[in-house]
Amino acid sequence: MPAIGEHERIQQEMAQGFSQSQALFDDEENNLLEMDEDEDSTDSSTGSDSDLALSSASDDTDSVLSSSSSSSSSSTSPASNSDISITSQSSSSLESESDDDILEALAQLDEAQEAYLTTFQIQMEAIENTRVLNPNRVLKISQLNLVLDYYAQHDPKHFRRNLRVSPPTFDTLVAHIQDDPVFYSGSNHPQLEVRYQLVIALYQFGHFGNSASVEGVAQFAGVSAGSVVN
């Protein structure tokens, strides 16, 4: 076994070797930390430069876009003004057409109202004159003109068959009675012509049975039953 002095010497050398190793390890660790710090500073400076470059590029792009936008807006501003002018003209023309349509509609309403009032006035006058609100209208075809115009000129035989007198005799009778006041009334409804009244009377006098009835004579003459009676 080694001596005690030798043992102490070995421990001292081991302690020194350990101290040296620890110092070398610390130095290496410090160097690594310094290198990391340098890399971080380099990266940060590079990032700052890159950010600055990107910021300046972005500013340049924004300025280009802004100038392009301003030039585009300046170039399109005449078109916009033209569109606004066309729109205002269209709206004014539409308003003018709308006003014309309203005036035309009002004029048509005035015409319709005037026509209605005229019709109403005529109906009121008819009611006041006839005293009949809903007159009973029966379709009748008169044969008076057939007898007086055609038979009297072209067929005296049928004229006599209907009235029992000849056409000259009929004309003589009309001439004798036409100025009698009985054929002229002061009412709002003028009487039938004298020659028509004479045809109705002669037709009834010359027939019998149903043909001589009030309804039969009214159908022949195309008048109301009241006109036959009166």
Side-chain angles (χ1 to χ4, degrees):
M1 292 181 62
I4 295 174
E6 186 67 19
H7 181 69
E8 292 178 354
R9 185 182 64 80
I10 292 172
Q11 287 182 348
Q12 290 176 358
E13 290 179 356
M14 290 177 64
Q16 290 177 359
F18 179 78
S19 298
Q20 292 176 358
S21 298
Q22 185 67 33
L24 290 173
F25 179 78
D26 292 337
D27 292 338
E28 188 67 23
E29 186 177 5
N30 292 328
N31 291 330
L32 291 174
L33 291 174
E34 290 177 358
M35 290 175 65
D36 290 337
E37 291 178 356
D38 293 337
E39 289 179 358
D40 292 337
S41 62
T42 303
D43 293 338
S44 62
S45 63
T46 303
S48 299
D49 295 337
S50 177
D51 291 339
L52 290 173
L54 290 174
S55 176
S56 62
S58 178
D59 293 338
D60 294 338
T61 303
D62 292 339
S63 63
V64 170
L65 291 176
S66 177
S67 61
S68 175
S69 176
S70 62
S71 63
S72 175
S73 63
S74 63
S75 63
T76 57
S77 60
S80 299
N81 294 331
S82 177
D83 293 339
I84 293 172
S85 177
I86 292 172
T87 303
S88 62
Q89 291 177 359
S90 300
S91 62
S92 61
S93 63
L94 289 175
E95 290 177 357
S96 177
E97 292 178 358
S98 179
D99 293 339
D100 294 338
D101 292 339
I102 292 173
L103 293 176
E104 184 178 358
L106 291 175
Q108 292 177 355
L109 286 176
D110 291 338
E111 292 178 357
Q113 185 178 9
E114 184 177 357
Y116 172 78
L117 292 175
T118 302
T119 304
F120 179 76
Q121 185 176 1
I122 293 173
Q123 292 177 349
M124 289 300 298
E125 290 178 355
I127 292 173
E128 290 178 356
N129 294 332
T130 61
R131 300 295 191 272
V132 178
L133 182 60
N134 296 314
N136 183 21
R137 300 184 183 276
V138 179
L139 180 62
K140 299 179 179 69
I141 299 177
S142 176
Q143 299 185 43
L144 295 177
N145 292 325
L146 175 65
V147 172
L148 293 174
D149 297 335
Y150 184 79
Y151 288 167
Q153 298 293 329
H154 307 288
D155 195 351
K157 182 178 178 180
H158 279 86
F159 186 91
R160 179 187 276 286
R161 180 178 296 177
N162 281 277
L163 303 183
R164 305 303 181 187
V165 295
S166 64
T169 302
F170 179 83
D171 292 338
T172 300
L173 290 173
V174 171
H176 279 82
I177 66 175
Q178 64 181 356
D179 294 329
D180 195 294
V182 74
F183 296 107
Y184 302 95
S185 60
S187 65
N188 294 324
H189 284 281
Q191 298 185 25
L192 291 174
E193 293 183 25
V194 176
R195 63 186 187 130
Y196 290 157
Q197 294 190 49
L198 182 60
V199 168
I200 292 171
L202 292 176
Y203 182 86
Q204 189 173 23
F205 296 159
H207 291 77
F208 59 91
N210 292 332
S211 297
S213 65
V214 174
E215 293 294 334
V217 176
Q219 185 176 357
F220 162 78
V223 297
S224 63
S227 298
V228 175
V229 174
N230 295 329

